[in-house]
Amino acid sequence: MTTTRKCAAVVVGAGPAGVAVVGNLLERQLGSIAWIDPSFESGRVNRKYREVPSNTKVSFFQSYATSLQPFRTIIENTPRPNAFTTMAKLDQEKTCHLHYAADMIRGLTNGLVKMEQVYAYQGFVTAATLSSRPDQAKWTVRIKSANEADELEIETSRLILCTGSHPTNLPVPIPGLEIHSLDLDTVLKPSLLAETLPTTKPTTVAVVGASHSAILALLNLVTLAQSSHPRLRVKWFTRHPLRYAEFMDGWILRDNTGLKGLAADFARSQLEENVLATSAAGKIVTKVDCAGGEAKEKEMYRANLPGCDYITQAVGFTRDPLPQLVKDVGDEAKPLSMEFDHETGAFHETAAVGDGEKIPGLFGAGIAFPQRVVDPYGNVEYAVGFFKFMKFLKKVVPSW
Ligand SMILES: Cc1cc2nc3c(=O)[nH]c(=O)nc-3n(C[C@H](O)[C@H](O)[C@H](O)COP(=O)(O)OP(=O)(O)OC[C@H]3O[C@@H](n4cnc5c(N)ncnc54)[C@H](O)[C@@H]3O)c2cc1C
Ligand SMILES: NC(=O)c1ccc[n+]([C@@H]2O[C@H](COP(=O)([O-])OP(=O)(O)OC[C@H]3O[C@@H](n4cnc5c(N)ncnc54)[C@H](OP(=O)(O)O)[C@@H]3O)[C@@H](O)[C@H]2O)c1
């Protein structure tokens, strides 16, 4: 059965970005907000990364949670002890495991879904159609319920995509080579990793990459080899030197791409060129230097990948598939081809030359749709992190 209703905004996704968007929209008091997610359980950080150490200080999670009046009201009205009181007791200047952050997001979600202006619907947004009217955009959003039995249609003038990203999966660097793929998410969860890899036979895992995910993958594999899996070895394929975040005068160089926290400590003390040969990690990890261009990289894989049992590719994140987005053009529905505007959170139609026309009423946030930032040296990065999403949203949501 299909039911239809009207709302001031539809927010897709209930990870840290979706929660921040709903909070910001509530502060603007636009009217009712429909909020759609299959589970309302804090997104990927809860599903996959509870055991990952954060690369941001606890105080940034706190700042996220206390940035908005609706959030502060939820915190005041949540029976104690709760995720917020637990977070408040941690050392604010240190990092923490992400289960604390995931539980904090869950606490905010539980409060938001009970608010009168919020209509939370457990389901999956499958499609949305834009019919342009001269006065205002109208989106008709189609949603399948979690049990797939019901369909809901919502009409709105604002559709906000906070749909998240997943680890990028590239083809095995040597086509046809028999090797098992070891999912990055599994390697980032030590309890699952320990169950997945054999303990009794010699096993070699290839790890590709040198950013946060790759370094934590190395750390987790080394820790396992030093305890329950003594026959485990690692080959580390990297094409650039280790890069760290650096505190400058009032700003951070490589704030979004450089290593921080536990990953930075481990990399500096055990993986750097001058320490790897003698470090404890060096007994487990063999570095394969793939720098020097595509031909050299291929040669290094050909020489070193055969013989590895597993490969983990820690090569970044890719947007999750979006709902099917179309535009009504007369009697026809035309698929929207679009580009995200990293300055405003809006979208433009893809144009052959220059910026295409702005797509009315469509916005994005979170790891899939982050803000573009330029540091004082002119380096361009994308701002990914709980408090970074919040800062961006506070700036742009008033114009949505
Ligand atoms: C390993 C790792 C560690 C990180 N550590 C930190 C850290 O320490 N500190 C920090 O500040 N940031 C960290 N980040 C960055 C970032 O804050 C997180 O990735 C964050 O969880 C992203 O939130 P999100 O809401 O954009 O996406 P997600 O958490 O992926 O949430 C997206 C949600 O949308 C839902 N969804 C998708 N499509 C649909 C649809 N069609 N209909 C309905 N629902 C849909 C999904 O089910 C999901 O619930 C980390 C990222 C990674 C990958
Ligand atoms: N809490 C934590 O500690 C933690 C852990 C993991 C992730 N995160 C967060 O999650 C987000 C994603 O981080 P990420 O580390 O997964 O990815 P990332 O920061 O997007 O970096 C991707 C890396 O993959 C490399 N790469 C891409 N293609 C490659 C290839 N074919 N071969 C070898 N290397 C390749 C890139 O190197 P080039 O520059 O050479 O292309 C880059 O260093 C970030 O916001 C990060 O802060 C946090």
Side-chain angles (χ1 to χ4, degrees):
M1 199 183 79
T2 305
T3 319
T4 306
R5 59 191 294 157
K6 288 189 177 151
C7 286
V10 173
V11 179
V12 191
V19 168
V21 167
V22 172
N24 273 280
L25 292 172
L26 284 170
E27 267 206 346
R28 279 191 65 201
Q29 302 194 332
L30 295 170
S32 65
I33 301 163
W35 192 17
I36 322 297
D37 190 273
S39 67
F40 291 95
E41 287 174 344
S42 320
R44 203 174 182 92
V45 74
N46 179 57
R47 237 175 30 247
K48 306 283 187 183
Y49 307 133
R50 288 183 69 84
E51 295 176 34
V52 171
S54 73
N55 59 2
T56 47
K57 289 193 284 192
V58 171
S59 62
F60 285 111
F61 295 127
Q62 282 281 96
S63 300
Y64 170 105
T66 52
S67 281
L68 300 167
Q69 187 52 51
F71 288 5
R72 292 191 289 272
T73 306
I74 291 169
I75 293 172
E76 274 159 33
N77 294 336
T78 305
R80 290 155 187 251
N82 56 45
F84 312 111
T85 55
T86 304
M87 177 81 82
K89 279 193 198 137
L90 300 178
D91 185 335
Q92 300 296 306
E93 289 309 303
K94 294 227 165 92
T95 55
C96 64
H97 277 85
L98 286 179
H99 62 85
Y100 292 108
D103 291 346
M104 180 265 288
I105 293 292
R106 186 67 182 271
L108 293 172
T109 305
N110 291 345
L112 289 172
V113 299
K114 287 191 206 123
M115 290 189 173
E116 210 183 309
Q117 306 94 310
V118 177
Y119 170 66
Y121 188 82
Q122 216 173 322
F124 200 78
V125 175
T126 54
T129 304
L130 170 67
S131 43
S132 287
R133 298 188 313 198
D135 50 338
Q136 200 184 32
K138 189 185 89 182
W139 284 94
T140 305
V141 183
R142 262 211 309 285
I143 302 146
K144 267 227 178 315
S145 67
N147 60 20
E148 303 230 335
D150 299 313
E151 251 198 11
L152 172 68
E153 259 186 18
I154 302 178
E155 289 179 3
T156 185
S157 53
R158 292 176 199 83
L159 172 62
I160 300 124
L161 305 171
C162 310
T163 40
S165 297
H166 59 277
T168 303
N169 213 343
L170 297 177
V172 173
I174 304 177
L177 181 76
E178 272 204 27
I179 187 165
H180 299 289
S181 274
L182 182 59
D183 188 13
L184 177 65
D185 288 343
T186 302
V187 187
L188 291 178
K189 187 170 185 178
S191 59
L192 180 59
L193 180 64
E195 287 170 15
T196 306
L197 293 177
T199 47
T200 48
K201 58 175 186 179
T203 304
T204 303
V205 177
V207 173
V208 181
S211 61
H212 264 108
S213 293
I215 302 308
L216 286 184
L218 293 174
L219 175 60
N220 290 347
L221 289 163
V222 166
T223 307
L224 210 58
Q226 289 167 338
S227 50
S228 53
H229 291 58
R231 307 187 77 183
L232 177 63
R233 292 296 174 268
V234 179
K235 280 194 188 172
W236 171 32
F237 295 82
T238 169
R239 66 182 186 192
H240 60 69
L242 292 160
R243 300 186 283 222
Y244 301 90
E246 272 178 55
F247 290 86
M248 312 299 278
D249 193 12
W251 61 283
I252 302 173
L253 178 65
R254 296 184 212 96
D255 188 21
N256 293 282
T257 52
L259 300 173
K260 293 179 181 170
L262 194 61
D265 295 343
F266 173 64
R268 271 203 186 93
S269 61
Q270 303 214 37
L271 300 177
E272 278 294 352
E273 208 60 59
N274 58 339
V275 291
L276 185 63
T278 52
S279 71
K283 294 190 172 60
I284 318 287
V285 177
T286 306
K287 180 173 163 181
V288 181
D289 187 351
C290 298
E294 216 177 299
K296 161 91 185 302
E297 196 176 21
K298 272 198 180 135
E299 188 190 314
M300 295 311 277
Y301 279 113
R302 258 189 250 114
N304 294 284
L305 194 56
C308 292
D309 305 283
Y310 293 88
I311 182 166
T312 293
Q313 309 229 39
V315 292
F317 277 68
T318 300
R319 280 175 195 157
D320 284 354
L322 297 181
Q324 189 189 21
L325 299 171
V326 297
K327 180 175 161 181
D328 252 349
V329 195
D331 298 339
E332 238 193 298
K334 185 180 136 215
L336 273 167
S337 158
M338 57 196 207
E339 274 164 23
F340 182 61
D341 179 341
H342 294 272
E343 319 289 330
T344 64
F347 289 84
H348 294 274
E349 288 205 56
T350 313
V353 183
D355 280 347
E357 219 171 288
K358 180 175 179 290
I359 300 174
L362 184 66
F363 307 97
I367 188 170
F369 300 111
Q371 181 185 20
R372 177 181 180 271
V373 288
V374 184
D375 75 16
Y377 289 172
N379 301 309
V380 173
E381 292 192 335
Y382 293 93
V384 174
F386 285 49
F387 190 54
K388 289 170 180 169
F389 302 155
M390 181 60 80
K391 276 201 293 192
F392 182 46
L393 288 165
K394 285 194 136 208
K395 189 175 130 201
V396 296
V397 169
S399 68
W400 288 3

